[in-house]
Amino acid sequence: DIVMTQSPLSLPVTPGEPASISCRSSQSLLHRSGYIYLDWYLQKPGQSPQLLIYLRSNRASGVPDRFSGSGSGTDFTLEISRVEAEDVGIYYCMQALRVPYTFGQGTKLEIK
Amino acid sequence: QVTLRESGPALVKPTQTLTLTCTFSGFSLNTRDMRVTWIRRPPGKPLEWLARIDWNDNKYYSTSLRTRLTISKDTSINQVVLTMTNMDPADTATYYCVRIHPVGYFDYWGQGSLVTVSS
């Protein structure tokens, strides 16, 4: 199985400040098609997870442009340019290259 | 409009078999490249992928749980069923039914079904 490792696991952020979450995969997530199969999900308190970013850097419909994804074949970053109160929750990276799909441990973002 | 809804028991006893049903609308599992998957989140733990079923009836399972899981579909009534045998308190979790977009990402999630395993 592909192992996904996130850091940090806890992320206190002041509103208006930027935030960054790292995710590393044990194998390259580069598909022969040229796409990188790395997605980001956010689970807000009391809600189901929601898709933020797919294929490494594509924002899902309705996701604010303060969210961005980047990275290479095994090292990825989710950045929030200016954190807002509504961004609190647990952020997960997930590899969708092959089954079994695997998630990172999650990063809990909280507001200072 | 795509929707998915999980249903099943809220409480099961250890060693029993859990059966969860996902009833969906807004898409068809007869459509090429359409897939449905199950994911769970135990309290205080991260998301864990469980199983996937494809439009062509291909099925895939978690490495650690494959011996206990069975996924099936009934496209005539737009349902996907997940069974998990020999339930244990460690299986206490919220179970989510999720649609997989043909590109491969998880775009629509059900509201989740909390299952507690306790005697």
Side-chain angles (χ1 to χ4, degrees):
Chain A
D1 298 6
I2 298 175
V3 177
M4 306 298 291
T5 304
Q6 280 180 241
S7 63
L9 300 185
S10 178
L11 184 58
V13 185
T14 300
E17 293 296 304
S20 179
I21 301 171
S22 295
C23 175
R24 176 168 291 176
S25 58
S26 61
Q27 303 175 27
S28 173
L29 301 185
L30 176 63
H31 187 265
R32 60 181 181 273
S33 63
Y35 290 106
I36 290 182
Y37 279 78
L38 185 282
D39 305 327
W40 290 94
Y41 296 87
L42 165 60
Q43 186 165 28
K44 295 183 178 181
Q47 296 184 19
S48 300
Q50 62 186 82
L51 175 69
L52 288 178
I53 302 285
Y54 64 95
L55 295 176
R56 177 181 55 176
S57 59
N58 297 273
R59 274 188 305 276
S61 176
V63 174
D65 61 7
R66 63 178 183 276
F67 290 91
S68 63
S70 63
S72 64
T74 59
D75 288 277
F76 307 95
T77 303
L78 176 70
E79 292 182 321
I80 310 173
S81 58
R82 294 173 306 280
V83 170
E84 298 186 5
E86 66 179 22
D87 299 336
V88 298
I90 302 177
Y91 291 77
Y92 296 94
C93 60
M94 189 202 83
Q95 67 83 14
L97 180 66
R98 65 174 65 96
V99 287
Y101 300 116
T102 44
F103 291 91
Q105 312 98 303
T107 296
K108 186 173 185 179
L109 186 148
E110 61 179 23
I111 299 296
K112 282 184 181 176
Chain B
Q1 179 189 2
V2 173
T3 64
L4 305 100
R5 185 183 75 250
E6 306 88 352
S7 58
L11 179 67
V12 297
K13 293 182 177 0
T15 74
Q16 286 186 335
T17 294
L18 170 68
T19 298
L20 291 171
T21 300
C22 173
T23 303
F24 59 87
S25 63
F27 67 98
S28 172
L29 255 182
N30 285 323
T31 302
R32 182 178 177 84
D33 292 334
M34 203 56 68
R35 305 172 174 96
V36 170
T37 192
W38 286 92
I39 291 162
R40 72 179 180 181
R41 186 182 169 207
K45 294 190 175 182
L47 297 171
E48 179 182 16
W49 179 75
L50 300 175
R52 184 185 105 187
I53 190 163
D54 298 353
W55 83 100
N56 57 5
D57 212 37
N58 283 348
K59 301 166 186 177
Y60 304 90
Y61 297 101
S62 158
T63 302
S64 60
L65 294 170
R66 64 173 55 252
T67 61
R68 300 172 53 207
L69 293 173
T70 303
I71 192 169
S72 62
K73 62 182 172 70
D74 187 335
T75 54
S76 66
I77 55 173
N78 284 351
Q79 287 186 343
V80 171
V81 175
L82 181 75
T83 62
M84 181 180 292
T85 60
N86 194 24
M87 293 292 284
D88 181 270
D91 297 313
T92 293
T94 298
Y95 288 75
Y96 297 97
C97 174
V98 186
R99 189 188 84 155
I100 302 179
H101 187 276
V103 169
Y105 50 82
F106 299 176
D107 58 353
Y108 289 94
W109 296 64
Q111 63 188 15
S113 179
L114 175 60
V115 178
T116 300
V117 184
S118 175
S119 55

